[in-house]
């Protein structure tokens, strides 16, 4: 079915594309790729040259947004209106970023230490989600130009170490940019997919993905078994990268010319020249350049001497990652290089020598993550039927235990393929058979969930109740097929069944099931809300009593009487079970005493009362 959309910007009628795009939303650069005639391709901008879009957002005086290369050009002239490194702020609170605030040239604000951080630009505040969505919109525009069609479906990559909040924030940024984010994929997983690693289900491999960008470094050890990607460990340094190479060169040159400071623009030029030198030394042995009348040179031997200690830190992290993964160097089947800084020959050399094998570097290290994201996107679009599908379980899966209770084994939203298991035992002496009933859903009682199937583990040798050790394993493969295995460990008796899980539930059914679970959670929620209202009311009553005692001389008799009346009303409400009545009485007392508190109390008491929401 072809869909027609109207492009709101140009007013043109555009067709809707079925392509699912892959996006690498990076700290320094971002890019978008898609599958073209069976090959992943990174999309270039209108200049036909660059696939990389600098992850930089500039707001001009009229708050108009400029993203990418033109924004980067304004980094020096308008630092306070030009935002970079938003990825470092994704899903973070002010407290989380306190220690690297000084690295940022723009202002982040301390509005609420617990909530997500905001960035101040002029008179406006932006969340990292909004800013990231501007980068995503730019990428969306780019692919739409390329395909001359509207694109709405995407896969976005994130570092393996991103937590759930950071992943959720990335997903929200996508949504805000008008993208339906089908999947958030780990960057090392995408890099592996770009090299075709993991696409052959029969091949089990352990892979090290080494990612050295401009300002961040991480290494991940992945285990790929039967198409299941598992991140065994990840290590890194979020402030280590090619920028440190540039700095090392700048320091070396400054020592040589005996000039430590110099003006800002000279510093900037020196830094840019250092980067040029570094890049040219990736394919030649000598570099020569000038700033004004001063000439600067660098050869490979000197450069290598400067950066060797920096690279050694990344090698130490590789060792730690191996230790954490419980792997030996010889367990690693492949090493994949990601990030612009892996172009530096000494990086390749040291990584290859540490792992005892030549690292993969055929693909452009800047593009490899986006290319892999495009492969994943293509799989999700259903274009590679024979390839695994990494997905999440939309509903929890579990078995029935004593009393008809649902015992969840694989929780809702787990990544699939997935496996999990738990041990059970018998409840009757000499029990020979055990019925295993498998359910799907979010309710506590299995009768309210959906039964997927059941089977009997038979032939358990007679033993007293509680002695048999029955391990039940749930394995969901890449196609969402659930396999349940039951094994009595003492006797080795085993049975298993295959159950088609999520595809047995339609979207509507799933929505209904979630709704049901929410509805029933309502009674619990109600009890909790009442309790919370009572606790708050009791605190406020204590404060109100204190307030009246301490301010007898300041309050008029009418004010005193009215406060007493409202206090009494709250006391009565607290004894009841009507949460709304309590909140209502609370609100009335608060509203009435608020101006009194301000007027009558000295500073300390006013603060104390404010803290209690009086
Ligand atoms: P990324 O964050 O992955 O985009 O990596 C950017 C980093 O790669 C920057 O520090 C660049 O200076 C560095 N880089 C780009 N090209 C080269 C090159 N040819 N040789 C060495 N480093 C490079």
């Amino acid at each position: 079915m072809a869909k027609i959309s109207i492009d709101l910007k140009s007013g043109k009628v555009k067709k809707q594309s079925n392509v699912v795009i892959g996006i690498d939303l990076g700290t320094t650069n971002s890019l978008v790729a898609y599958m073209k005639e069976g090959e992943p391709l990174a999309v270039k901008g209108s200049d036909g040259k660059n696939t990389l879009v600098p992850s930089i957002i500039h707001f001009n005086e009229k708050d108009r947004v400029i993203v990418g290369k033109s924004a980067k050009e304004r980094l020096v002239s308008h630092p306070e209106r030009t935002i970079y490194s938003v990825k470092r702020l994704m899903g973070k609170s002010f407290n989380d970023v306190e220690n690297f605030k000084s690295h940022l040239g723009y202002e982040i604000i301390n509005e609420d230490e617990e909530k997500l951080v905001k960035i101040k630009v002029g008179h406006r505040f932006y969340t990292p989600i909004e800013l990231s969505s501007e980068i995503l919109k730019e990428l969306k525009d780019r692919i739409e130009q390329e395909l001359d069609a509207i694109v709405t479906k995407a896969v976005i990559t994130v570092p393996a170490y991103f937590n759930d909040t950071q992943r959720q924030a990335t997903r929200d940024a996508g949504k805000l940019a008008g993208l339906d984010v089908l999947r958030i994929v780990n960057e090392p997983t995408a890099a592996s997919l770009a090299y075709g690693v993991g696409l052959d289900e029969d091949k089990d491999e352990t892979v090290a993905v080494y990612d050295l960008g401009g300002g961040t470094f991480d290494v991940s050890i992945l285990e790929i078994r039967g198409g299941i990607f598992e991140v065994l460990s990840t290590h890194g340094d979020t402030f280590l990268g090619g920028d440190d190479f540039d700095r090392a060169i700048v320091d070396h040159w400054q020592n040589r010319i005996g000039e430590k400071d110099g003006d800002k623009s000279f510093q900037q030029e020196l830094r840019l020249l250092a980067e040029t030198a570094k890049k040219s030394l990736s394919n030649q042995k000598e570099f020569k350049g000038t700033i004004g009348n001063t000439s600067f040179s660098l050869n490979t031997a000197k450069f290598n001497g400067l950066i060797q200690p920096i690279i050694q830190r990344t090698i130490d992290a590789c060792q730690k990652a191996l230790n954490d993964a419980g792997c030996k160097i010889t367990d690693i089947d492949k090493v994949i290089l990601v990030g612009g800084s892996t172009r530096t020959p000494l990086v390749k050399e040291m990584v290859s020598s540490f792992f005892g094998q030549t690292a993969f570097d055929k693909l452009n290290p800047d593009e490899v993550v986006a290319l892999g994201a495009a492969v994943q996107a293509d799989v999700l679009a259903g274009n590679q039927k024979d390839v695994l599908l990494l997905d999440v379980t939309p509903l929890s899966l579990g078995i029935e235990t004593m009393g008809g209770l649902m015992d969840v084994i694989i929780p809702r939203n787990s990544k699939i393929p997935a496996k999990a298991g738990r041990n059970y035992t018998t409840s009757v002496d000499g029990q020979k058979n055990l019925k295993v009933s498998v359910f799907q859903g979010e309710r506590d009682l299995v009768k309210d969930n959906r039964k997927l199937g059941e089977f009997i583990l038979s032939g358990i040798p007679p033993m007293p109740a509680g002695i048999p050790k029955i391990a039940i394993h749930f394995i969901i493969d890449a196609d969402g097929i659930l396999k349940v295995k039951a094994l009595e460990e003492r006797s080795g008796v085993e049975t298993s069944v295959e159950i088609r899980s999520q595809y047995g539930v339609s979207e509507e059914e799933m929505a209904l099931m979630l709704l049901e679970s929410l509805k029933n959670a309502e009674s619990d929620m109600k009890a909790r809300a009442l309790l919370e209202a009572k606790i708050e009311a009791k605190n406020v009553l204590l404060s109100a009593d204190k307030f009246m005692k301490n301010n007898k001389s300041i309050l008029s008799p009418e004010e005193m009487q009215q406060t007493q009346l409202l206090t009494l009303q709250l006391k009565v409400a607290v004894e009841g079970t009507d949460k709304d009545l309590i909140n209502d009485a609370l609100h009335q007392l608060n509203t009435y005493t608020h101006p009194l508190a301000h007027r009558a109390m000295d500073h300390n008491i006013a603060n104390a009362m404010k803290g209690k929401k009086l």
Side-chain angles (χ1 to χ4, degrees), residues 56 186 207 479 544:
I56 299 176
N186 288 327
V207 176
D479 289 318

Side-chain angles (χ1 to χ4, degrees), residues 28-29 52 212-214 242-243 246 275 278-279 282 339-341 343-344 366:
T28 329
N29 293 301
L52 299 184
L212 187 63
D243 299 349
D246 305 347
E275 190 179 3
K278 170 186 77 176
K279 287 184 182 171
S282 289
S341 299
R343 287 206 184 86
T344 293
D366 285 318

Side-chain angles (χ1 to χ4, degrees), residues 303-366:
F303 176 53
N304 285 353
L306 293 175
I307 61 172
Q308 197 276 344
I310 304 172
I311 306 172
Q312 187 54 45
R313 284 165 57 197
T314 70
I315 300 295
D316 295 344
C318 291
Q319 184 60 58
K320 283 189 196 135
L322 279 177
N323 295 347
D324 285 359
C327 289
K328 299 187 292 294
I329 283 180
T330 47
D331 294 331
I332 303 299
D333 299 305
K334 286 191 175 103
V335 180
I336 291 172
L337 297 180
V338 181
S341 299
T342 60
R343 287 206 184 86
T344 293
L346 188 63
V347 172
K348 276 185 217 179
E349 235 174 84
M350 286 177 69
V351 174
S352 298
S353 137
F354 173 77
F355 284 104
Q357 61 179 293
T358 313
F360 277 44
D361 66 349
K362 264 207 264 350
L363 295 174
N364 180 338
D366 285 318

Side-chain angles (χ1 to χ4, degrees), residues 243-263:
D243 299 349
D244 295 284
F245 297 177
D246 305 347
R247 222 165 288 134
I249 299 172
V250 167
D251 287 348
H252 162 67
W253 281 344
Q254 280 184 328
N255 284 337
R256 235 204 47 220
I257 60 172
E259 191 179 332
K260 253 285 171 227
D261 303 317
D263 65 18

